[in-house]
C-alpha cells in the first residue's frame, strides 16, 4: 500500500468536490494500492489539520472553514508547515498575476511536493517557470482539470496519443458561452436574455466578462500551447474575440445553412473567436458541454466531449491526475 | 493553376488512356476525372470532365495534342470556381457599404460572392449577413477570407468564418 499525504488549498466549489470525491473513492483507491490521506484543508479563513485524515462529514456542510479550522495558518504558511507529499491547489483563478495560486504552487514545488490543480491563472502567467521548478525538485505538476474540466485532453494527448504528431487542437472550452449560444440559436433570443438565463441557472457569474469576452477560453489556449506544443507564449499572444457581438439573426442565418456558431479556441493558431461549425461535426455540441478536435498525423482527427465544469466533474479530473502520478507502467501497480 | 476541361471520348476501349497521355506529357496533375457514361451525346461520344493542376501556358499544346489523338475538346482552360465557403458578418453591414464589401471579393478575379442574405432587425441594431463565396481553389478561398477579415477590421464587422475541417 502506498501512503500519500495530501493537502488541499482552496475550499470553494471545486475544493468541496475534491473532499467529497476523495472520500467516496477511498475503497477503490485502496484496492489499487493507494491510500490517499487528506491531512489538511486550507482556505482564506484558516486550516483544518488531521494527521489521520480530515473527516469529510465534519467539513462538507461548511461553506468556509471559519467554524471548523483547527489552525489559523493560511496559504504559503500552511503549505510550508504541513508535512504532505502532494498539494491540490484549487483557489480562484486570476489570469493577470496568477495569485494566490502561483505563490502556493511555488511554495509546494520548492518544498518537494507534487502539485495537482484546476487553477488556470498560475499556469497562464508562469507555466515554464513552474514546470522547471517541478523538474528541479523532482516532482510533478499536473493540471488536466484546467482545460475542459472532466473532458480528457492533456492526458489523452500526452499518454494515449503519444507517438502521434499533433497538428492542432480546436474546440469549445467554455460551457457558459456554449450554453448562451445554444439558447440564442434554439429560442431566437438576444444575447442579454440568454445571459440572464445562464446567470439564473448558475452557469454564468454575476460578472460574466471573463467567460463571454473569451478570456477564459484564451487562458486554456495558452495552457494547451505551452504544455502540449512547447510554444512558450503569453496571454497577450492570443487573438481574442468573445461572443457578445453574436446576434440571434446571425445564428438563424447560420442555422438555415447547416451551421452552428460556437466560440472556438485554436492551438497553435492562437485564436479565440466565434466560428461557423457544421451541425454534423462531432465538436458541434450544445448546452454547457465542451468539446475538442485533436488533429494528428497517424490517428486522423480524434474528438472528445464532456462536461467542462462542475464540482464533482472537476474533482474527477484532479483525482485522475493524482493517480497518474503514482502509477507505473502497469495500470494496477503503484511504486 | 487549377483548370478544368470537358472532353468527349469515343465509346471504344482505350480512349481514356489516349486523353490522359497529353496531360502526363505536359506535367498536369490530375485532381479529378468524372466519366459521364450516363450522358452519352447524340454523336455517341462520352463526356468526361477533368480538373487538373497545370501550367496555364501549356493548355494550347495539350488541346492540340488531344485533337491530334482524335479526342474532342469541348471546353478547356476556363477557371472554374470549385471551392466555396460560408461566412457570416455581423455589424452595420449595409451602412458600411455592403456593395463595396462584395466588390472587394468580386474584383479579385479568383473569387466571387455567389449568395447573400441579409437580416436587419432594426435601424440602430446590428444587421447580420450570410455570404457564400466561391473561388478557384483552396488557397484562393483563404485569400478571400483574408480580404474579408481586413474589411471586418476596417468596417468594425464581426467576421464569423467556418472552422477548418483539417488542421492547416
Amino acid at each position: 500500500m502506498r501512503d500519500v499525504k495530501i493537502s488541499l488549498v482552496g475550499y470553494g466549489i471545486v475544493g468541496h468536490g475534491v473532499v467529497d470525491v476523495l472520500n467516496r473513492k477511498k475503497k477503490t483507491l485502496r484496492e489499487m494500492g493507494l491510500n490517499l490521506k487528506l491531512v489538511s484543508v486550507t482556505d482564506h479563513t484558516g486550516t483544518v489539520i488531521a494527521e489521520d485524515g480530515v473527516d469529510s462529514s465534519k467539513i462538507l456542510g461548511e461553506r468556509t472553514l471559519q467554524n471548523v479550522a483547527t489552525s489559523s495558518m493560511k496559504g504559503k504558511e500552511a503549505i510550508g508547515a504541513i508535512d504532505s507529499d502532494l498539494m491540490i491547489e484549487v483557489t480562484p483563478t486570476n489570469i493577470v498575476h496568477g495569485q494566490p495560486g502561483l505563490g502556493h504552487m511555488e511554495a509546494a514545488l520548492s518544498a518537494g511536493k507534487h502539485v495537482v490543480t484546476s487553477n488556470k491563472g498560475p499556469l497562464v502567467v508562469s507555466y515554464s517557470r513552474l514546470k522547471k521548478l517541478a523538474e528541479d525538485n523532482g516532482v510533478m505538476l499536473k493540471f488536466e482539470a484546467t482545460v475542459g474540466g472532466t473532458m480528457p485532453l492533456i492526458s489523452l494527448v500526452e499518454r494515449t496519443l503519444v507517438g502521434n504528431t499533433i497538428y492542432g487542437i480546436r474546440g469549445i472550452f467554455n460551457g457558459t458561452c456554449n450554453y448562451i449560444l445554444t439558447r440564442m440559436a434554439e429560442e431566437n433570443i438576444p444575447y442579454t436574455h440568454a445571459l440572464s438565463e445562464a446567470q439564473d441557472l448558475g452557469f454564468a457569474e454575476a460578472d460574466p466578462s471573463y467567460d463571454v469576452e473569451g478570456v477564459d477560453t484564451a487562458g486554456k489556449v495558452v495552457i494547451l500551447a505551452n504544455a502540449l506544443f512547447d510554444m512558450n507564449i503569453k496571454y497577450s499572444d492570443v487573438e481574442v474575440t468573445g461572443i457578445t457581438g453574436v446576434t440571434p439573426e446571425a445564428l438563424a442565418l447560420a442555422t438555415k445553412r447547416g451551421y452552428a456558431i460556437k466560440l472556438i479556441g485554436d492551438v497553435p493558431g492562437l485564436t479565440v473567436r466565434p466560428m461557423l461549425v457544421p451541425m454534423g461535426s462531432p465538436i458541434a455540441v450544445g448546452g454547457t458541454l465542451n468539446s475538442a478536435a485533436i488533429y494528428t498525423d497517424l490517428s486522423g482527427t480524434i474528438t472528445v466531449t464532456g462536461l467542462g465544469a462542475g464540482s464533482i466533474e472537476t474533482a474527477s479530473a484532479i483525482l485522475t491526475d493524482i493517480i497518474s502520478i503514482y502509477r507505473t507502467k502497469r495500470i494496477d501497480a503503484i511504486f | 493553376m487549377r483548370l478544368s476541361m470537358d472532353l468527349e471520348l469515343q465509346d471504344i476501349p482505350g480512349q481514356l488512356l489516349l486523353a490522359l497521355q497529353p496531360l502526363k506529357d505536359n506535367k498536369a496533375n490530375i485532381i479529378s476525372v468524372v466519366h459521364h457514361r450516363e450522358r452519352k451525346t447524340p454523336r455517341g461520344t462520352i463526356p468526361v470532365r477533368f480538373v487538373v493542376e497545370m501550367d496555364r501556358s501549356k493548355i494550347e499544346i495539350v488541346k492540340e495534342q488531344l485533337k491530334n489523338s482524335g479526342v474532342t475538346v469541348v471546353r478547356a482552360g476556363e477557371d472554374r470556381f470549385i471551392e466555396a465557403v460560408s461566412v457570416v458578418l455581423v455589424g452595420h453591414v449595409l451602412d458600411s457599404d455592403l456593395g463595396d464589401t462584395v466588390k472587394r471579393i468580386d474584383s479579385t478575379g479568383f473569387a466571387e460572392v455567389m449568395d447573400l442574405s441579409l437580416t436587419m432587425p432594426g435601424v440602430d441594431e446590428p444587421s447580420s449577413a450570410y455570404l457564400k463565396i466561391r473561388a478557384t481553389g483552396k488557397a484562393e478561398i483563404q485569400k478571400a477570407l483574408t480580404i474579408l477579415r481586413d474589411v471586418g477590421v476596417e468596417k468594425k464587422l464581426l467576421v464569423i468564418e467556418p472552422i477548418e475541417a483539417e488542421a492547416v
Side-chain angles (χ1 to χ4, degrees), chain B residues 101-121:
Chain B
T101 305
V102 171
K103 208 159 94 190
R104 301 251 195 124
I105 302 293
D106 287 358
S107 63
T108 59
F110 57 74
E112 64 175 34
V113 175
M114 59 181 283
D115 184 8
L116 189 142
S117 318
L118 188 65
T119 311
M120 295 180 291

Side-chain angles (χ1 to χ4, degrees), chain A residues 167-168 170 241 245-247 249-250 253-254 257 259 261 264 266 273-278 283 295 301, chain B residues 86-88 90 115 117-119 121 126 128-130 149 158-168:
Chain A
Y167 295 132
R170 292 195 193 100
T241 307
V246 178
T247 58
E249 294 79 23
L253 285 169
R257 266 77 182 191
Y259 291 99
I261 296 178
I264 300 292
D266 183 324
R273 52 188 175 149
M275 298 194 89
L276 298 173
V277 181
I283 69 166
Y295 306 90
T301 303
Chain B
S86 295
V87 183
V88 171
V90 185
D115 184 8
S117 318
L118 188 65
T119 311
S128 306
Y130 168 89
R149 242 173 262 157
L158 171 64
V159 180
I160 307 177
E161 298 173 33
I163 192 168
E164 297 90 352
E166 296 155 11
V168 179

Side-chain angles (χ1 to χ4, degrees), chain A residues 148-201:
Chain A
T150 193
M151 178 176 82
L153 185 53
I154 293 167
S155 58
L156 181 63
V157 171
E158 283 185 337
R159 291 181 164 236
T160 316
L161 295 176
V162 65
N164 278 266
T165 299
I166 308 296
Y167 295 132
I169 299 174
R170 292 195 193 100
I172 300 170
F173 301 124
N174 184 281
T176 306
C177 288
N178 202 26
Y179 179 81
I180 293 172
L181 291 173
T182 305
R183 291 295 292 160
M184 284 173 73
E186 279 172 0
E187 306 293 338
N188 193 29
I189 51 177
Y191 162 76
T192 45
H193 188 145
L195 171 64
S196 0
E197 194 182 283
Q199 284 168 328
D200 283 350
L201 289 165

